[in-house]
Amino acid sequence: MTLPPTRRHFPIDDDAERSPCGASLGEATLVLERFVLVREVSRGAQGTVWQARDRVACCDVAVKILPGLTHDDVVTMGREVAALRLLKIPGVVPLIDAGAHGACGCVAMEWIDGSHFPSASERTRWERLEPALRSLLGTLERVHSVGIVHRDLKPANVIVDGDARATLLDLGVAGGTALTSDGPEPLAGTPRYMAPVLFRGAAPSPATDLYALAVMVYEALTGEPLRSQGAESFFDPDPLDHARVERDLQGHAPSPIVRALVRILGSSGTYTGGHTELMRALGASSGSPASRLAPVVARLARTGSALTPVALEALFDAEERIVAHRSTAARLLHEEVEGDVGRVLARVETWLGLGIGRLRGHRLSVDELDVERRERRREMRGLVGQGALTTTWLSRGLLDLAETAFREIDERIAAGELREALAELPNILSTFDQLDHRHRIPPVLYRWLRVALFANDRRALGLLLHEIHRSDATGVTGIHVAAVATAAIAAVDGAFDRARERLDSVPVREPFDLGLAWHAVRVFLARRSEAPADVARALAAARSWAASVAEPVPELESWEGWIAFLSGDYARAERLHRECAQEFCGPRRAQCLLDAGAAALERGAFDAALETAEEAQEALRGHRHPFAAGRIEWLRRAALYRTDRAAHVDEDLVRIAGTIDAPQVVGLTLLTEASVAWRHGRADRAIELADESTRVLVRGGLHSLASVPAGLGLVAGRSTPAEDLQPSFDRLPPALTIQAAELWLRAGVPLDADTRRRVENCWTAVDPSSAEMRREVLALTECGRTRAPRGMSA
């Protein structure tokens, strides 16, 4: 099959192709316009691996530098990365990008902590090797089931983490194509681990991968190479002495494992049943680890009622609060057993064999990585159900897979699964880009912009801008999408003039996704920075646009609710957000309810706020959405603090809050817990929590809001402001401005004339009937220093 024509992902100029790249590489070098090299990790025959910093996603990555590649090699790498990103095979290192740097190829992938699979450098006990082997076999099963062959399996290409989970590296990208093709294939791999049939002209296959795995296991158990190191021993190998191999392995592994390894190695890479035999041997050698869960499963069976995801939560020992690992794992398991309790133990056994989870007593322990791996496996079931992906490549092609994935984005949005949609969109865009289908790119960019805005995901906006910047296939579409995305980021950062300028550069409000995003940013900008008349104009423009489009715009009610909240009409804000919630389900419904709950909180309806938090929790059932879940926890704790029902710091919440990538939610949560500690005489803990809240908010660009915990830290006894922050309250609501000013004044920090005038004006904007109500830190009746100008200058 011939795929559509490809183009250069990163152009290589003529001079660069003739010059070596190694001399120009070093610490702080920028490659692929995105990754900054930090330190060299390893060096081999194919190239070097660096730890690098992703400037867009703000995380560590691994970048492999491959010298001497041609333009065609680079194009092939780009296509391969697009394909593997789209498939997202669990247990294979997620690939991020590929392209050229000078005359070198670069492959960027996620950074995996761990060590290489055991090798011949020293003998490894079977008890240590067995879980890593089980995990690696599970990964190879997934790779082979979608028609992909690794081709260069060796210890250096397998990372084993602290929980003995194996992750495959270099899946075909560096050693020839991983994707099945009809033409002749080049010989690629590391001779020491290559099956003899490959040197005789046979095509790479799952059997040759299993041969390499068997060599790895032999070397790990014996501490010796399988064959001598001379080149002739690989290219013209003598027949393997089966008896010698069996003697070498005896005593180092159970007999079923030894027999399976001897059969695989003796076949020279032709034994097609190697995977099945090894898996059976592992089961025979270790018994059934999942049987430890039998008592719990038996209790579920005795109830006689239908098996539910909630009932299956009893099997799991996992974090639930905010991150929802337990309920998500239970839901995924329930889907796989189709409600049949009799299939539970067998399915758990499969999970363990694939490295998903670990047994802890009579429970299965899972974490974020386990849940993500299982969710990805679920997304692959449609492909696996078709048979091998080889057939898919030949009959439908990678393009059709990307188109199908894009059509499913609307279903995810309708279900409120914005986080999941954002995980898919970069992979879809990369595929269309690599296959040179430029006319399919604009709808992806529009949808990405819309979803990133409503998911409150600044990182996704940054990645969108990067994709637009590096692509030459977007034209006016890219310019308009980039302008709105840049305006959104500028508005969040407080650069209001720049945000307005960027919005004004977009003259067209179509298609729908672009128009919706444009007005969303315009209303957000109005509520953050402008006068009431300008806010009214922004809303009027949004209403006019909504009336002119064919699709409903339920967000309009939410925007009006925000404006009502800012004007102090909390009852109306609560009503509008509740009405908006009726139009959505899942996480988006939860977000609208949480806006309503925040309004209830500010009007003093604390029990209503708690009830709304429960409604939002119910809307999130079945979804993992740490941002919304974190807001729920903050709303609960804020309501309890304001009614003096929070007697102790919720240390469990403090520990988990750091897992949320949402500075405002985390910062407010830590501020509430700092206030609890301060109210109950725990000054040292209050300072620690206030300092951490300040750091989180400052790093998130929320400097004005950070003034509140910074002031609380001073009142609790800190000698200098955290982060050397100076008081700045210019973008805080009136009541919060008063509290922040009071805290800094109590700490003996004078306020300048402009700030004093602002605080005085804030007193006229608050409802005096709610003065006794405790707020984020203080009740207004506790803010006596801010009432007198003399006090404010002390």
Side-chain angles (χ1 to χ4, degrees), residues 13 77 199 261 284 360 386 483 597 621 642 694 704 728 758:
D13 59 56
M77 282 198 310
F199 298 108
L261 292 173
R360 183 177 294 168
Q386 299 169 24
R621 186 173 296 280
R642 295 185 187 202
T694 304
S704 293
S728 173
R758 174 172 170 75

Side-chain angles (χ1 to χ4, degrees), residues 386-404:
Q386 299 169 24
L389 189 60
T390 306
T391 304
T392 303
W393 293 127
L394 297 176
S395 64
R396 295 170 52 199
L398 177 60
L399 178 63
D400 194 29
L401 292 177
E403 289 178 326
T404 300

Side-chain angles (χ1 to χ4, degrees), residues 371-414:
V371 171
E372 286 191 358
R373 284 180 170 183
R374 211 60 206 155
E375 285 183 327
R376 290 179 182 178
R377 175 63 172 172
R378 179 182 59 169
E379 292 168 1
M380 288 175 58
R381 285 190 303 194
L383 295 175
V384 175
Q386 299 169 24
L389 189 60
T390 306
T391 304
T392 303
W393 293 127
L394 297 176
S395 64
R396 295 170 52 199
L398 177 60
L399 178 63
D400 194 29
L401 292 177
E403 289 178 326
T404 300
F406 186 57
R407 287 194 294 270
E408 292 173 351
I409 291 296
D410 283 338
E411 298 177 9
R412 292 187 180 277
I413 293 173

Side-chain angles (χ1 to χ4, degrees), residues 742 759-760 763 771 780-781 783-790 792:
E742 177 72 23
V759 174
E760 290 173 22
W763 274 106
L780 296 184
T781 52
C783 298
R785 287 177 173 81
T786 63
R787 283 188 177 276
R790 182 175 300 175
M792 285 193 283

Side-chain angles (χ1 to χ4, degrees), residues 390-595:
T390 306
T391 304
T392 303
W393 293 127
L394 297 176
S395 64
R396 295 170 52 199
L398 177 60
L399 178 63
D400 194 29
L401 292 177
E403 289 178 326
T404 300
F406 186 57
R407 287 194 294 270
E408 292 173 351
I409 291 296
D410 283 338
E411 298 177 9
R412 292 187 180 277
I413 293 173
E417 298 175 347
L418 303 186
R419 189 176 66 91
E420 292 81 357
L422 285 172
E424 291 293 335
L425 284 165
N427 305 324
I428 296 167
L429 179 65
S430 175
T431 303
F432 288 153
D433 188 26
Q434 288 298 329
L435 298 183
D436 214 21
H437 280 251
R438 306 181 187 186
H439 65 285
R440 289 181 167 87
I441 291 178
V444 180
L445 296 179
Y446 291 136
R447 200 63 48 83
W448 188 338
L449 173 65
R450 172 187 171 186
V451 176
L453 284 176
F454 288 105
N456 303 292
D457 196 326
R458 180 188 176 126
R459 180 179 297 180
L461 287 172
L463 182 56
L464 173 60
L465 287 172
H466 171 77
E467 295 287 352
I468 292 171
H469 169 71
R470 75 174 189 173
S471 174
D472 61 0
T474 56
V476 174
T477 296
I479 294 172
H480 288 170
V481 171
V484 177
T486 302
I489 294 173
V492 171
D493 291 343
F496 302 130
D497 290 340
R498 181 166 184 246
R500 277 189 289 269
E501 177 187 349
R502 299 303 291 152
L503 283 181
D504 290 342
S505 71
V506 183
V508 182
R509 308 289 185 266
E510 296 177 355
F512 178 79
D513 284 343
L514 181 64
L516 184 63
W518 192 96
H519 284 286
V521 177
R522 187 69 182 84
V523 172
F524 176 82
L525 184 61
R527 65 187 267 232
R528 286 289 297 269
S529 67
E530 298 181 5
D534 294 322
V535 172
R537 279 194 291 269
L539 271 177
R543 291 191 197 101
S544 176
W545 172 81
S548 69
V549 297
E551 298 187 47
V553 187
E555 288 85 0
L556 200 58
E557 290 174 312
S558 179
W559 298 343
E560 299 207 26
W562 292 344
I563 303 304
F565 184 95
L566 289 177
S567 67
D569 191 350
Y570 301 122
R572 182 168 182 267
E574 184 179 2
R575 176 177 58 79
L576 287 168
H577 286 305
R578 279 196 162 276
E579 290 174 359
C580 185
Q582 299 305 313
E583 303 297 325
F584 298 113
C585 58
R588 292 204 69 184
R589 172 176 167 78
Q591 293 276 40
C592 292
L593 288 170
L594 287 165
D595 289 334

Side-chain angles (χ1 to χ4, degrees), residues 673-749:
E673 299 307 317
S675 300
V676 171
W678 175 63
R679 289 282 185 182
H680 291 84
R682 297 187 58 194
D684 290 345
R685 188 62 178 137
I687 293 171
E688 292 172 352
L689 291 168
D691 284 356
E692 184 59 26
S693 174
T694 304
R695 282 192 289 271
V696 168
L697 293 171
V698 168
R699 290 169 189 166
L702 301 165
H703 294 82
S704 293
L705 186 54
S707 296
V708 182
L712 178 58
L714 291 173
V715 169
R718 205 180 197 283
S719 57
T720 58
E723 299 284 308
D724 294 324
L725 196 70
Q726 297 302 310
S728 173
F729 320 134
D730 57 328
R731 290 195 293 274
L732 296 179
L736 198 53
T737 298
I738 294 171
Q739 294 176 76
E742 177 72 23
L743 291 169
W744 285 84
L745 289 170
R746 288 190 185 188
V749 179

